């Protein structure tokens, strides 16, 4: 039986971080963002990862102002703030009150969706960011970073998911930053996590570094993934994410429902191609 699969768009954050060294300016988003808003995504990834650093150092922009501006352009779809847990946007640890203050400012600047992870899956570094965000009514989705080692078994990820359940979460995502997730591993990992978290939605965030990303994402649907993170084709593949258009068409061919308007996405792809050639 076909499922209703939701998509999260990463074009405005992780995709250009992967392929354009995070150099997409707020001005470049002017024509893109309102169209993404109308395309039918669950949420739109906007700020996080290297965005704060690059905005300040290279683009001479205020990342907080980007949040405020985009909230004027995107009115129907939640905007995502993505953080590294207790490290926020860096690889240093911040004091608890600084993390709480950052979350307060996320909410004040219109961010309503928070994806948060710790690189080593140390759930202690997710406790305060999760509790602070959920306490302010932000939809909060912690991530478990996928890698391959004798220690990183399905049982390991189940244990980590149970730790997150103790804190509380609105959804959970598998974060595969190196594109290591294989279709064979998806067949065991996704069902194990789904059984553990029950009715809580499970998301997949994978990259195409190994070339497996688009197929891995497609196969994840067959094993119970609820939401997949994708990028507009111009900014997809390679170090980036599975392309929205290809994933949607293949899902529909398999009998699943994906409520995304591909005509809008095709227009976006052309606009992004123009920006790429011009810049």
């Amino acid at each position: 039986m076909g499922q209703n699969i939701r998509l999260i768009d990463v074009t405005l954050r992780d995709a250009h971080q992967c392929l354009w060294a995070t150099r997409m300016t707020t001005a470049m988003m002017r024509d893109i963002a309102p169209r993404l808003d109308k395309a039918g995504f669950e949420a739109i990834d906007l700020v996080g990862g290297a965005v704060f650093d690059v905005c300040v150092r290279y683009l001479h922009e205020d990342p907080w102002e980007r949040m405020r501006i985009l909230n004027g352009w995107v009115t129907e779809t939640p905007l995502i703030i993505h953080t590294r847990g207790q490290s926020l946007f860096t690889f240093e640890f911040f004091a608890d009150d600084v993390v709480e203050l950052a979350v307060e400012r996320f909410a004040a600047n219109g961010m309503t969706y928070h994806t948060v992870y710790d690189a080593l899956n140390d759930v202690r570094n997710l406790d305060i960011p999760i509790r602070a965000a959920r306490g302010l009514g932000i939809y909060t989705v912690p991530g478990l970073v996928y890698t391959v080692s004798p220690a990183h078994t399905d049982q390991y990820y189940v244990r980590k998911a149970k730790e997150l359940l103790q804190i509380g979460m609105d959804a959970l995502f598998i974060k595969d930053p190196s594109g290591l997730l294989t279709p064979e591993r998806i067949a065991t990992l996704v069902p194990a996590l789904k059984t553990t978290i029950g009715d809580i939605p499970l998301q997949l965030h994978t990259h195409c570094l190994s070339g497996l990303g688009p197929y891995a994402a497609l196969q994840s649907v067959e094993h119970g993934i609820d939401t997949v993170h994708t990028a507009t084709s111009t900014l997809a593949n390679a170090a980036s994410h599975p392309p929205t258009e290809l994933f949607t068409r293949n899902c529909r061919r398999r009998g699943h429902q994906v409520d995304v308007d591909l005509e809008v996405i095709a227009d976006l792809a052309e606009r992004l191609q123009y920006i790429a050639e011009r810049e």
Side-chain angles (χ1 to χ4, degrees):
M1 181 182 295
Q3 303 176 61
N4 185 13
I5 304 303
R6 307 200 70 188
L7 300 186
I8 285 177
D9 176 77
V10 299
T11 307
L12 299 186
R13 204 278 301 177
D14 206 356
H16 74 93
Q17 180 175 313
C18 293
L19 299 182
W20 288 0
T22 330
R23 296 304 200 270
M24 186 184 288
T25 65
T26 303
M28 292 177 191
M29 299 176 183
R30 182 64 188 93
D31 280 345
I32 307 299
R35 289 171 168 80
L36 282 173
D37 190 25
K38 301 292 192 288
F41 290 102
E42 175 178 328
I44 296 169
D45 193 12
L46 179 65
V47 175
V51 169
F52 261 68
D53 189 2
V54 173
C55 271
V56 174
R57 290 177 188 269
Y58 302 105
L59 302 181
H60 307 297
E61 290 190 13
D62 180 349
W64 298 100
E65 187 174 24
R66 178 174 293 187
M67 296 180 205
R68 295 191 291 271
I69 290 171
L70 266 290
N71 266 284
W73 296 341
V74 177
T75 58
E76 298 176 16
T77 312
L79 291 172
I80 294 176
I81 178 75
H82 178 66
T83 70
R84 296 171 178 144
Q86 201 76 20
S87 301
L88 294 175
F89 307 109
T90 73
F91 297 105
E92 304 293 330
F93 291 116
F94 288 95
D96 295 351
D97 58 351
V98 174
V99 174
E100 290 169 345
L101 176 61
V103 172
E104 179 190 309
R105 302 321 299 164
F106 299 154
N109 284 280
M111 309 304 286
T112 58
Y113 202 117
H114 184 205
T115 55
V116 55
Y117 77 102
D118 178 78
L120 297 179
N121 295 323
D122 188 341
V123 175
R124 294 173 298 176
N125 292 326
L126 300 177
D127 186 272
I128 288 170
I130 290 173
R131 294 185 193 276
R134 297 189 83 217
L136 289 169
I138 297 174
Y139 189 89
T140 303
V141 186
L144 292 175
V145 179
Y146 179 78
T147 192
V148 178
S149 84
H152 290 82
T153 62
D154 291 353
Q155 291 71 32
Y156 163 90
Y157 286 106
V158 164
R159 186 170 72 252
K160 292 295 180 179
K162 288 178 178 178
E163 291 178 30
L164 289 168
L165 283 171
Q166 293 293 315
I167 301 171
M169 57 183 171
D170 296 299
L172 176 70
F173 76 101
I174 301 169
K175 180 177 176 64
D176 179 27
S178 301
L180 298 175
L181 198 53
T182 64
E184 292 79 9
R185 185 64 184 277
I186 282 168
T188 62
L189 178 61
V190 171
L193 288 174
K194 285 293 289 182
T195 299
T196 302
I197 65 176
D199 293 335
I200 293 174
L202 183 62
Q203 304 178 4
L204 177 65
H205 177 101
T206 189
H207 292 250
C208 301
L209 288 152
S210 69
L212 285 174
Y215 185 57
L218 193 62
Q219 286 301 98
S220 74
V221 171
E222 306 300 331
H223 295 285
I225 281 286
D226 301 289
T227 301
V228 176
H229 298 207
T230 62
T232 305
S233 57
T234 312
L235 277 167
N237 296 309
S240 185
H241 306 260
T244 300
E245 302 94 317
L246 180 68
F247 176 80
T248 299
R249 291 190 184 101
N250 283 337
C251 258
R252 288 172 178 170
R253 288 187 185 105
R254 289 189 171 193
H256 304 295
Q257 182 176 346
V258 185
D259 293 328
V260 169
D261 189 337
L262 289 185
E263 288 188 12
V264 173
I265 303 302
D267 180 35
L268 292 175
E270 287 186 12
R271 289 170 186 270
L272 286 164
Q273 185 65 37
Y274 169 77
I275 291 171
E277 290 171 356
R278 187 188 67 192
E279 296 294 330

